[in-house]
């Protein structure tokens, strides 16, 4: 009977999730939220030198090699996009299925589970599923693991059923970790709260079965062992492939460009004694990393010249003040915690108090992120999504006793209604964002760039990250995959595939200098002549000879320039 009921919950979860995706298909367009994801999509499709990548700064070794292998077997497919869409669907399905399971002892369980699943989908999944970024996708997988763990019956379930339930939670969490490790760290914290909750007797009853602490601790040890192994595998790859220098260099450029106001104010960097000229520092402000003298030491010297201390509370307050959708989400979380606290009593106290503790933990994490200076919406999502999932689960569990009557029942109904209003208020604001007309200019520009690259396969075409605004899930490669377009910076710079692409055109990535820009087989893509001014000034200063940009081709709105001595 229990096994049949679980499959029913799976069916309900699949139907509700499918209804959401089908509705989004008709109401809006699916795309990436920013251009970070498309860089990975293209790298695994072979846009860098015609060969799929086998390494990524963010993806774990296991996932990167899996994408590499499937791209070799079935090339010219956006496997990274398919992977994310599948993971989003499965994560939503697991979360909704879990809501039905947690509502099974509540009066009208199907209605309660449906409402809880709809609240979560409205609050987070709708936006995350059609404005995709890999950080939020990883957070969704982590949230699915948290909900799944709350459904594990350590006391009465058969061993096989319990093992399968734990395995699903482990797979979801590990998959999210392989996609973006930092994004699932909050989920690990909330999953630990679930295990702590399971270790605490739920009621004080002499007839209650003893807490199966051995099984719970064994599950915790298995989770810890898996993630230690995943961490070790990643570190082994970095060491064996000699990539430690790249990782350290990337930490340095992130410290400068992500955590200081360097892009707005270069004065401290110019005065830092980094060894870079003022004209080269001006290019670094635009994420230029091609020249080999822009090394780790130079980047750290410039980063250290900036004041990075911030008031985390003020930054967090400013974030929520400027993001109305997150105000609704924060309200929903507080109301859910209040719903759990309504059931607080001497015989059942662990879930309500852990719900309150999860809110405090989420607040501390957000203040920490704000103090670091990187309070992006996707970082906030990585905290709020699993926290929301945990608190929905605790709220359902806390109200499984159907004997509640009177004022507490009325208060619970009112709080539940307010949670729904907050979640659907978030949905309304998300709907305004996703209902906007699709961007047609940027994809057309990317198509023009790729068409020109296919027509000129002997040219290495370099473009700035500022020129990259590509949110397509599935780039059109019906005419071929260009392998000669290179970003001059960003985090993709100096990866093995990036270096290999330069080598294919006769350039040594470890010794790239200003003189290399004067060769005939390298051009710079821009929208106008003015965009070549900073690079021309740097080349003139560094080579000691006048250098000018000379237009060598055009396609659509794009212009392509060689750098020559007049």
């Amino acid at each position: 009977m229990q096994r049949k009921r679980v499959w029913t919950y799976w069916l309900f979860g699949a139907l509700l999730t499918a209804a959401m995706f089908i509705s989004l298909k008709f109401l809006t367009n699916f795309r990436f939220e920013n251009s970070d994801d498309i860089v990975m999509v293209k790298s695994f499709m072979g846009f860098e030198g015609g060969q799929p990548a086998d390494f990524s700064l963010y993806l774990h070794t296991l996932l990167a090699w899996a994408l590499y292998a499937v791209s070799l077997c079935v090339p010219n497919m956006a496997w990274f996009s398919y992977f994310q869409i599948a993971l989003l669907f499965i994560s939503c399905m697991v979360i909704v299925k879990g809501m039905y399971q947690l509502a099974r002892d509540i009066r009208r369980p199907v209605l309660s589970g449906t409402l809880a699943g709809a609240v979560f989908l409205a609050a987070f999944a709708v936006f995350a599923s059609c404005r995709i970024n890999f950080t939020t996708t990883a957070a969704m997988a982590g949230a699915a693991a948290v909900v799944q763990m709350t459904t594990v019956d350590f006391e009465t379930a058969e061993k096989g059923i319990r093992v399968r339930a734990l395995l699903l939670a482990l797979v979801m969490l590990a998959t999210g970790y392989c996609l973006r490790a930092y994004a699932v760290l909050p989920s690990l914290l909330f999953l630990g709260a679930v295990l702590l909750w399971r270790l605490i007797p739920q009621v004080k009853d002499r007839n209650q079965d003893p807490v199966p602490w051995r099984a719970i601790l064994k599950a915790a040890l298995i989770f810890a062992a898996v993630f230690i192994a995943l961490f070790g595998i990643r570190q082994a790859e970095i060491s064996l492939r000699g990539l430690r220098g790249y990782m350290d260099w990337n930490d340095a450029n992130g410290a400068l460009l992500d955590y200081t106001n360097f892009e707005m104010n270069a004065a401290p960097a110019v005065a830092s004694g980094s060894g870079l000229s003022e004209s080269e520092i001006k290019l670094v402000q635009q994420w230029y990393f091609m020249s080999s003298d822009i090394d780790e030491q130079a980047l750290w010297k410039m980063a250290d010249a900036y004041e990075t201390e911030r008031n985390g509370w003020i930054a967090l307050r400013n974030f929520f003040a400027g993001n109305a959708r997150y105000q609704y989400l924060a309200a929903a979380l507080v109301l859910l915690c209040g719903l759990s606290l309504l059931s607080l009593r001497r015989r059942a106290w662990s879930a309500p108090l852990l719900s309150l503790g999860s809110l405090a933990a989420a607040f501390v994490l957000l203040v920490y992120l704000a103090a670091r200076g990187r309070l992006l919406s996707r970082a906030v999502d990585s905290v709020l999504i699993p926290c929301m999932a945990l608190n929905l689960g605790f709220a359902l569990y806390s109200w499984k006793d159907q004997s509640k009557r009177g004022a507490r029942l009325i208060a619970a109904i009112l709080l539940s209604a307010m949670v729904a209003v907050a979640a659907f208020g978030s949905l309304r604001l998300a709907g305004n964002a996703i209902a906007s007309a699709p961007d047609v200019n940027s994809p057309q520009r990317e198509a023009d760039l790729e068409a020109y690259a296919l027509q000129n396969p002997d040219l290495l075409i370099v473009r700035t990250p500022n020129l990259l605004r590509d949110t397509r899930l599935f780039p059109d490669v019906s005419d071929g995959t260009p392998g000669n377009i290179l970003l001059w910076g960003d985090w993709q710079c100096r990866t093995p595939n990036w270096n290999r692409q330069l080598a294919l055109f006769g350039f040594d990535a470890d010794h790239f200098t200003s003189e290399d820009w004067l060769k005939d087989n390298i051009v710079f893509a821009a929208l106008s002549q003015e965009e070549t001014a900073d690079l021309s000034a740097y080349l003139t200063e560094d080579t000691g000879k006048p250098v000018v940009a000379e237009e060598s081709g055009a396609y659509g709105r794009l212009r392509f320039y060689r750098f020559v001595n007049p």
Side-chain angles (χ1 to χ4, degrees), residues 7-53:
W7 279 111
T8 303
Y9 298 147
W10 273 111
L11 178 60
F12 287 160
L15 289 174
L16 198 57
T17 303
M20 181 192 73
F21 272 85
I22 292 170
S23 299
L24 289 174
K25 175 66 176 175
F26 285 103
L27 296 174
T28 186
N29 60 306
F30 289 81
R31 66 170 176 81
F32 290 124
E33 176 65 4
N34 53 55
S35 296
D36 287 348
D37 294 80
I38 193 63
V39 173
M40 285 184 278
V41 169
K42 289 183 173 180
S43 69
F44 289 108
M45 289 182 71
F47 274 73
E48 294 179 358
Q51 179 177 336

Side-chain angles (χ1 to χ4, degrees), residues 126-344:
V126 165
F127 190 85
S129 297
C130 63
R131 294 296 180 265
I132 300 169
N133 76 81
F134 70 112
T135 302
T136 307
T137 302
M140 291 288 288
V146 172
V147 172
Q148 176 64 18
M149 184 60 78
T150 62
T151 68
V152 178
D153 183 356
F154 286 96
E155 289 85 1
T156 61
E158 298 174 8
K159 183 177 180 180
I161 295 174
R162 185 174 69 246
V163 168
R164 287 195 294 272
L166 284 170
L167 184 60
L168 177 58
L170 180 58
V171 168
M172 295 305 301
L173 197 64
T175 304
Y177 181 89
C178 288
L179 181 59
R180 184 75 190 271
Y182 289 139
V184 297
L185 293 183
S187 296
L188 274 171
L189 174 65
F190 296 125
L191 191 141
V194 175
L195 290 175
L196 177 61
W197 168 58
R198 288 299 191 186
L199 281 170
I200 300 172
Q202 304 301 307
V203 295
K204 292 184 177 180
D205 187 343
R206 292 181 180 179
N207 297 322
Q208 182 189 22
D209 294 330
V211 173
W213 62 270
R214 288 181 182 274
I216 296 170
L217 291 181
K218 187 182 296 185
L221 288 174
I222 291 172
F223 271 72
V226 168
F227 281 90
I228 290 171
L230 288 174
F231 178 80
I233 290 170
R234 175 66 166 175
Q235 296 307 308
E237 179 196 32
I238 291 169
S239 298
L240 292 173
R241 299 183 64 179
L243 295 170
R244 177 55 56 194
Y246 163 70
M247 302 298 289
D248 292 341
W249 175 85
N250 195 75
D251 288 342
N253 82 59
L256 175 64
L257 285 154
D258 290 339
Y259 297 104
T260 73
N261 67 336
F262 166 67
E263 290 184 79
M264 304 298 296
N265 176 24
V270 172
S272 67
S274 65
L276 305 182
S277 66
E278 187 170 349
S279 62
E280 192 168 17
I281 289 174
K282 194 169 185 179
L283 288 180
V284 176
Q285 283 183 293
Q286 303 166 49
W287 296 75
Y288 174 79
F289 298 139
M290 289 190 70
S291 296
S292 53
D293 59 339
I294 306 173
D295 56 17
E296 179 186 349
Q297 290 73 26
L299 292 169
W300 275 120
K301 282 187 176 181
M302 290 191 286
D304 291 340
Y306 289 83
E307 177 61 48
T308 56
E309 291 186 7
R310 296 174 178 85
N311 187 311
W313 161 243
I314 293 177
L316 181 62
R317 185 186 63 191
N318 291 340
F319 174 86
F320 278 93
N323 292 273
R325 188 168 75 90
Y326 287 92
Q327 295 173 23
Y328 280 105
L329 296 176
L333 270 172
V334 172
L335 292 167
L336 277 173
C337 181
L339 187 59
S340 292
L341 289 173
L342 275 179
S343 67
L344 179 63

Side-chain angles (χ1 to χ4, degrees), residues 291-478:
S291 296
S292 53
D293 59 339
I294 306 173
D295 56 17
E296 179 186 349
Q297 290 73 26
L299 292 169
W300 275 120
K301 282 187 176 181
M302 290 191 286
D304 291 340
Y306 289 83
E307 177 61 48
T308 56
E309 291 186 7
R310 296 174 178 85
N311 187 311
W313 161 243
I314 293 177
L316 181 62
R317 185 186 63 191
N318 291 340
F319 174 86
F320 278 93
N323 292 273
R325 188 168 75 90
Y326 287 92
Q327 295 173 23
Y328 280 105
L329 296 176
L333 270 172
V334 172
L335 292 167
L336 277 173
C337 181
L339 187 59
S340 292
L341 289 173
L342 275 179
S343 67
L344 179 63
R345 61 193 189 281
R346 185 175 60 85
R347 294 178 66 247
W349 56 269
S350 57
L353 291 187
L354 283 171
S355 177
L356 184 62
S358 72
L359 255 64
F363 176 76
V364 171
L365 284 172
L366 290 175
V367 170
Y368 168 75
L369 290 171
R372 290 196 67 199
R374 286 286 282 173
L375 198 65
L376 304 176
S377 58
R378 56 183 179 267
V380 176
D381 284 339
S382 69
V383 176
L384 294 188
I385 289 176
C387 188
M388 179 79 164
L390 176 71
N391 278 276
L392 265 173
F394 277 163
L396 287 171
Y397 182 85
S398 297
W399 286 86
K400 70 176 183 176
D401 183 356
Q402 298 183 19
S403 64
K404 298 173 179 61
R405 293 291 186 272
R408 283 200 307 141
L409 180 59
I410 294 172
I413 293 172
L414 289 175
L415 281 177
S416 300
M418 292 168 69
V419 169
V421 169
F424 285 92
S426 169
L427 174 62
R428 180 181 62 83
L429 294 176
N432 293 338
I434 64 179
S436 58
D439 177 17
V440 294
N441 293 325
S442 298
Q444 183 58 52
R445 191 174 63 203
E446 289 298 315
D448 291 344
L449 179 63
E450 291 159 12
Y452 186 81
L454 288 170
Q455 291 176 6
N456 298 273
D458 296 330
L459 288 179
L460 178 62
I461 302 170
V462 180
R463 51 101 164 264
T464 72
N466 290 336
L467 191 63
L468 175 64
R469 177 58 183 164
D470 191 355
T471 58
R472 297 172 295 171
L473 290 173
F474 306 105
D476 182 9
V477 291
S478 56

